[in-house]
Amino acid sequence: MKQAIYGLILFTFLALPPVANLLESIMIMHMHMQMPLLVFAGFLIARFFQLKFPQFFERWNANGVPGMLLFLIIWLYWMVPRAMDEALTSPFMELFKFFSLTFLAGIALRDSWKKLGNIEFSIMYIFFTLKFIIMGYLYLAIEDQICNNYLIIEQKTLGWGSLAMAVCFVIFGFYWHFTDQSEYQKVDL
Amino acid sequence: MEQTLKETKRQNPKKLLGVNTEDAKVALSYFTVAFVSLLLGGILGLLQGLERADLIQLPSWLNYYQVLTAHGLLLLVVFTATFTIGYQFANLSHSFGGLLPKVRKLAWIGFGLMVFGVALVTVMIILNEASVLYTFYPPLAAHPLFYVGLVFVVVGIWACCFGVFINYRHWRKNHRGQVTPLLAYFAMGVFVLWFFASIGVTIEVLTLIPWSMGLVETTNVMVARTLFWWFGHTLVNIWYLVATSAWYVIVPKIIGGRHFNEKLIRLVVILIVVLNIPGGFHHQIIDPAISTSIKFLHVFMSLSIAVPSLMTAFAMFFVFERTGRKLGGKGLLGWLKKLPWGDVRFLAPMIAMISFIPGGAGGIVNTSNQLNQVVHNTMWVVGHFHVTVGMSVVLTFFGICYWLIPYLSKRQLTPKMNKIGVIQTIVWTVGMTIMAGSMHIAGLFGDPRRTSDTSYGGHEVAASWISYELIFGIGATILLVGVLIQVYAVFNMMFFAPKGETEFPVAEPEDNAAPVPLWTERWGLWIVLLLAVVAMAYVVPIVDMILNAPPGSPPIRTW
C-alpha cells in the first residue's frame, strides 16, 4: 500500500504545472521522461487496485495478455507526434494523457508483468527494441518538422535518444539471453 | 581430516597461507608509485602555495602553470588511481583467497602501461610542452605525446578493470547461490564506474591527438569539455566509493563492532554506480551552449548522489553509536568517548567522514545554479576539492595504509608508528583546515583560481585577498610536513617495521542479520541502467552541441 502512496505522490508531482511545463518544453523529455514516469506512477498505484479489486484483474487479465495489449495500445498512441501536439494544445488531451498513461497503461503493465510467460515477455521485449530502433531512424531520417510544437533539432535529439535506448535494450537482451543466470543460482547436490 | 583441509583450501586458502605474497607484490608496487607521486605532488603543491602567497618567485624554467598541471595530475589522477588499484586488488585477493594468475598478469600489465603513460605525461609537462592544467581540455593544446601518455594510463586502468571482472565472474561461478564478499562487491562497483567513466575521456583524448598534431584544424570545445567532465566527476565518486568501502567494512571492525545492514550497503553501491556519471554537468553550469532548462534538470541528477551519501552518513553514525553503547557508553553522547580515538586506523577515516559534512555541503553550493555563479572559478572551488579529496578521501586512504601495508609486507603496526600516524592525521587536519578554509573565504571575495599573479596592479579588492593567500602558504607548508610524515610511515611499514602478523580488519554482519538478496549481484542490469541514465542525460546537450556547433577552435598555446 505504501507503494501506491508513493505512486500518487509522483503523479501529483508530475502534474504540478511548473514540472509539467518544464518536461514538456523539451521533446525528448516529454516522450522519454514524463511519459515513462507517468506509467511508473501508475505501476506503483496499481498495488492499491490489485488489493481492492483482485477479482476484476483475475477475470479480465488472467494470463496478462489483455493488460499488456492495453498498455501497448496506449503507449503507441502517445508515440504519434500528432497526439503529443494535441496534448500540448488541448487541456482535455493533456488530461487524457495523464489519466491514460497512469491509470490505464501503468496499472495494466503492473498487473501483466508477472503473469506473462517467457515467450510473451520476449515478444514484448523484441517489439519495444524494434520500436526504439525504427522510431530513432524515422526521427533522424525525416527532414520535415513533424510536431508543430517542437523544432527539427528536437526531433533529431529524440531520434538519437531513441537509438540510445535501443542500444541499452539490445545490450540487456544479449546479457539476459547469453548469460546463464542459473550458473549463479544455488545448486542442490 | 584431509577432507577438511581440502575444503579449507578451497573455501578459504588465506587462512592457511596468510597473505598471498604474489598478490601483495602487486598491491605494494601500486602503493609505491602512489606515495612517490604524493611526495612529488605535495612538493609541487607547496611551491604553488608559496608562489601564490608571493613568498617565492618560481624560475623561468618551471612556471606556475607547469607546477599546477603536474600537481593536479600527479595527485588527482596518479596518486588516487594507483592507491585505489593497489587497495582494491588487496581487497579482492583477501576476499577471494588470492587472485587468478591471469588476473595478476593483467594487474602487472596495467601497472606497466600506467607507469609508462605517467612518465610520458610528466616528461611533457617538465619540457613545458603541456601546461594545460590537469583538466587538459581544449582550446589549450598540449604536445601530442602528452595525450598519448594519457591513453596509456587509461588502457592500463582498463587492464585492471578486466582483471577484476574476470576474477569476480570466476568466483561467482564457483560459489553458486552465494553473494560475493562485501569488499569484492565494492571493488566491482569501483571498476565498473572506472570503465564507463573512462569511455568519455578516451573519446575526448582520441579526438585531441589528431587536433594537436595539426591533422585536424579545429575541435569542438564544448563536446570535449562535456566528455571530460563525464570522466572527471565520476572519478570524484570513484574515490568516494573507495573511501566508503573502508568506512562500511573496515572501520566497524576496528572499533570492535559489526557492519551495517548489508542490503543497504549494496544499495548504496548500486545507486552510486547508476546515478553517477551525469553529475558531471554541474561542473559546466556556467558554460554556454547548454540551455538553462537542461542545466536545471541536471541539478536533480547531481543532487541524487546526496541520497546514497546521506544513507552512508546515517548508517555510519548508527554503527558508531551502537558499538559505543555496547562498549559501555552512557547518556546522549557518552558512546563517542568509547570509540578508539587513539587508533590511527580509526582516527584518520573518522576525521575523513566528518570532513565530508562540510565537503558535501560545499558540493551542494557548487551544484546549485545561482550559488555557483558566485563561486565559479574562484578559490572556493579549490578549497572545496581540497576538503573533499584532500580530507574525506585522502585521510581515509592514509588510515588504510596503517593496517594494509604492514599486512601486505608481513610486518607489524607498532605503537610508535600508530603515534606517528595520529600526529600525521592531526598535522594533516590542521593544515588542510587552514588552507581549504582560507581558500573558501578568499573565493567568496572573488579570488580567482588557476592564476599565478592575482595582484591586478594593486587594486584594493585584489589587495584584500593577500592575507588569505598568505594563509594558503602556511597551510601548504603544514601539509607538506604531513606528506613527509606519511611517506616516511608508508615506506617504513613497507620495508623496516618489525616482522609479524597484522590483521586484515573485515567487519562481520550482526548475528541476526537478514540474508543478502542475490538480486544485488545483477551487474548486467545495473550497467544497462547506468547506460540508460547516461543516455537520458547526455543525448540532448551533445546533439545540440554537435548540430549547432560553432566553427570550432584551433589548438591554442598560451605559454
Side-chain angles (χ1 to χ4, degrees):
Chain A
M1 221 29 191
K2 244 189 194 171
Q3 275 188 21
I5 295 169
Y6 293 147
L8 200 61
I9 293 172
L10 177 61
F11 179 75
T12 317
F13 176 73
L14 290 170
L16 293 175
V19 178
N21 285 343
L22 175 65
L23 290 179
E24 286 165 4
S25 68
I26 304 163
M27 192 180 194
I28 189 171
M29 294 292 166
H30 191 178
M31 191 188 276
H32 280 191
M33 192 174 280
Q34 190 198 44
M35 291 186 185
L37 280 175
L38 284 172
V39 173
F40 184 62
F43 195 89
L44 295 174
I45 292 172
R47 198 76 202 117
F48 171 80
F49 292 99
Q50 280 177 326
L51 293 172
K52 270 272 187 253
F53 311 106
Q55 285 196 335
F56 173 82
F57 288 105
E58 190 47 48
R59 199 175 306 149
W60 291 96
N61 196 25
N63 58 5
V65 175
M68 203 39 118
L69 280 177
L70 179 62
F71 165 72
L72 208 62
I73 289 165
I74 291 169
W75 184 255
L76 287 182
Y77 173 73
W78 286 111
M79 294 295 104
V80 178
R82 189 192 157 132
M84 276 171 70
D85 254 345
E86 281 178 336
L88 293 173
T89 43
S90 149
F92 173 75
M93 286 303 285
E94 177 78 344
L95 205 65
F96 177 62
K97 182 179 80 183
F98 272 76
F99 174 78
S100 62
L101 285 170
T102 307
F103 294 99
L104 297 177
I107 291 177
L109 181 68
R110 170 70 171 268
D111 195 58
S112 301
W113 191 269
K114 289 231 161 118
K115 291 180 180 171
L116 282 185
N118 259 347
I119 295 175
E120 290 97 333
F121 206 87
S122 302
I123 291 172
M124 287 298 296
Y125 195 88
I126 292 167
F127 175 81
F128 269 91
T129 312
L130 288 175
K131 191 212 77 171
F132 274 126
I133 295 172
I134 293 166
M135 269 185 60
Y137 172 73
L138 278 178
Y139 278 97
L140 286 173
I142 290 175
E143 294 295 333
D144 300 315
Q145 188 179 349
I146 53 174
C147 255
N148 285 329
N149 287 289
Y150 296 112
L151 300 173
I152 287 183
I153 184 162
E154 298 224 39
Q155 238 165 263
K156 303 262 179 221
T157 309
L158 181 56
W160 284 112
S162 301
L163 283 185
M165 280 300 146
V167 169
C168 290
F169 265 63
V170 170
I171 293 174
F172 188 72
F174 276 109
Y175 161 72
W176 202 247
H177 188 73
F178 289 107
T179 56
D180 181 3
Q181 289 299 310
S182 69
E183 272 183 10
Y184 304 120
Q185 303 301 324
K186 204 171 184 97
V187 275
D188 296 318
L189 294 172
Chain B
M1 179 66 196
E2 201 183 321
Q3 185 64 30
T4 328
L5 190 67
K6 253 187 185 169
E7 259 180 22
T8 321
K9 257 190 197 166
R10 193 166 59 87
Q11 287 171 357
N12 207 351
K14 61 186 177 286
K15 271 199 175 154
L16 295 174
L17 302 169
V19 59
N20 181 322
T21 37
E22 291 284 304
D23 297 350
K25 259 186 214 158
V26 174
L28 288 172
S29 304
Y30 275 100
F31 286 152
T32 305
V33 175
F35 284 94
V36 169
S37 308
L38 178 74
L39 181 63
L40 295 175
I43 294 169
L44 294 171
L46 176 64
L47 290 180
Q48 255 179 91
L50 296 180
E51 157 116 359
R52 206 43 208 259
D54 217 10
L55 294 173
I56 60 162
Q57 193 66 47
L58 286 169
S60 60
W61 49 268
L62 184 71
N63 67 56
Y64 180 80
Y65 299 99
Q66 265 174 296
V67 172
L68 186 57
T69 308
H71 172 72
L73 277 170
L74 282 174
L75 295 184
L76 284 179
V77 179
V78 183
F79 169 70
T80 58
T82 45
F83 184 89
T84 299
I85 295 172
Y87 169 55
Q88 295 300 336
F89 273 105
N91 283 348
L92 273 188
S93 170
H94 181 78
S95 307
F96 290 165
L99 300 173
L100 294 172
K102 60 179 166 190
V103 172
R104 203 177 301 126
K105 203 174 273 172
L106 277 170
W108 280 119
I109 291 172
F111 182 78
L113 288 168
M114 284 174 77
V115 169
F116 179 70
V118 170
L120 215 51
V121 165
T122 315
V123 167
M124 285 302 124
I125 298 172
I126 293 170
L127 292 175
N128 202 13
E129 291 286 345
S131 298
V132 288
L133 312 187
Y134 77 92
T135 41
F136 59 81
Y137 32 56
L140 288 182
H143 192 281
L145 284 179
F146 173 81
Y147 301 112
V148 173
L150 291 174
V151 171
F152 275 97
V153 174
V154 171
V155 176
I157 290 175
W158 284 353
C160 297
C161 290
F162 289 120
V164 172
F165 301 157
I166 291 168
N167 220 138
Y168 197 88
R169 182 176 149 78
H170 177 266
W171 189 92
R172 289 213 59 216
K173 277 184 100 168
N174 288 296
H175 295 77
R176 289 178 164 212
Q178 291 180 35
V179 288
T180 46
L182 204 41
L183 281 176
Y185 193 76
F186 269 102
M188 186 69 177
V190 167
F191 282 92
V192 164
L193 260 187
W194 227 332
F195 182 74
F196 287 100
S198 54
I199 288 177
V201 78
T202 308
I203 299 170
E204 184 207 352
V205 167
L206 290 180
T207 60
L208 293 186
I209 292 174
W211 172 72
S212 62
M213 288 168 79
L215 299 175
V216 181
E217 272 183 35
T218 61
T219 193
N220 188 324
V221 174
M222 278 307 299
V223 173
R225 286 173 65 86
T226 306
L227 291 173
F228 177 83
W229 284 117
W230 162 325
F231 159 78
H233 180 72
T234 313
L235 186 63
V236 174
N237 281 293
I238 289 171
W239 307 326
Y240 167 54
L241 191 57
V242 175
T244 326
S245 74
W247 299 350
Y248 271 121
V249 189
I250 309 293
V251 172
K253 175 76 175 176
I254 291 168
I255 63 174
R258 304 287 181 96
H259 68 63
F260 197 76
N261 179 322
E262 190 167 339
K263 191 169 156 188
L264 177 128
I265 300 176
R266 283 168 180 257
L267 187 64
V268 166
V269 176
I270 295 167
L271 285 174
I272 292 179
V273 168
V274 171
L275 297 173
N276 214 315
I277 294 177
F281 276 96
H282 75 246
H283 294 255
Q284 295 178 268
I285 226 161
I286 305 293
D287 279 12
I290 304 174
S291 69
T292 314
S293 50
I294 289 293
K295 283 176 183 168
F296 185 72
L297 287 167
H298 273 291
V299 171
F300 284 92
M301 293 302 256
S302 294
L303 289 182
S304 62
I305 282 295
V307 176
S309 302
L310 287 172
M311 281 159 80
T312 304
F314 288 119
M316 287 314 300
F317 277 90
F318 176 82
V319 169
F320 294 146
E321 185 181 350
R322 186 175 61 187
T323 312
R325 289 199 187 285
K326 217 159 54 182
L327 295 172
K330 297 266 184 294
L332 188 64
L333 294 171
W335 51 271
L336 269 173
K337 286 189 205 147
K338 295 288 171 189
L339 299 175
W341 296 97
D343 185 342
V344 63
R345 300 173 306 158
F346 166 73
L347 182 70
M350 183 65 179
I351 294 178
M353 276 181 251
I354 294 169
S355 67
F356 198 58
I357 300 169
I364 292 172
V365 169
N366 301 343
T367 311
S368 312
N369 198 352
Q370 289 85 344
L371 295 177
N372 192 297
Q373 316 262 343
V374 179
V375 298
H376 198 82
N377 262 341
T378 67
M379 286 308 289
W380 165 285
V381 179
V382 186
H384 168 72
F385 61 67
H386 277 89
V387 169
T388 47
V389 185
M391 289 275 273
S392 295
V393 173
V394 168
L395 265 183
T396 308
F397 287 5
F398 288 174
I400 291 168
C401 290
Y402 289 94
W403 56 266
L404 184 56
I405 291 179
Y407 168 81
L408 292 172
S409 56
K410 293 190 176 175
R411 292 172 191 276
Q412 283 175 330
L413 171 65
T414 56
K416 193 178 150 205
M417 186 51 77
N418 181 53
K419 201 175 239 176
I420 291 175
V422 171
I423 293 169
Q424 197 280 339
T425 308
I426 294 167
V427 168
W428 192 266
T429 308
V430 170
M432 201 57 96
T433 309
I434 291 175
M435 192 179 82
S438 59
M439 282 173 167
H440 274 95
I441 300 170
L444 286 177
F445 291 139
D447 193 357
R449 70 191 279 212
R450 296 179 154 179
T451 314
S452 88
D453 176 27
T454 50
S455 58
Y456 296 104
H459 189 277
E460 59 176 317
V461 174
S464 72
W465 305 327
I466 292 173
S467 51
Y468 295 103
E469 289 171 352
L470 278 170
I471 302 174
F472 305 168
I474 296 168
T477 313
I478 298 173
L479 282 168
L480 188 70
V481 175
V483 167
L484 293 175
I485 302 175
Q486 183 64 25
V487 172
Y488 163 77
V490 164
F491 288 105
N492 184 288
M493 289 185 290
M494 227 183 253
F495 301 111
F496 307 110
K499 290 269 180 195
E501 289 292 318
T502 298
E503 180 199 18
F504 194 113
V506 179
E508 300 284 327
E510 287 289 331
D511 291 332
N512 55 356
V516 185
L518 257 181
W519 59 257
T520 55
E521 293 285 356
R522 285 191 189 154
W523 281 102
L525 179 60
W526 313 139
I527 288 169
V528 172
L529 285 177
L530 174 155
L531 290 175
V533 170
V534 166
M536 275 161 58
Y538 280 86
V539 165
V540 182
I542 286 193
V543 169
D544 190 25
M545 284 167 199
I546 292 173
L547 293 184
N548 288 328
S553 172
I556 291 176
R557 226 181 117 115
T558 50
W559 65 95

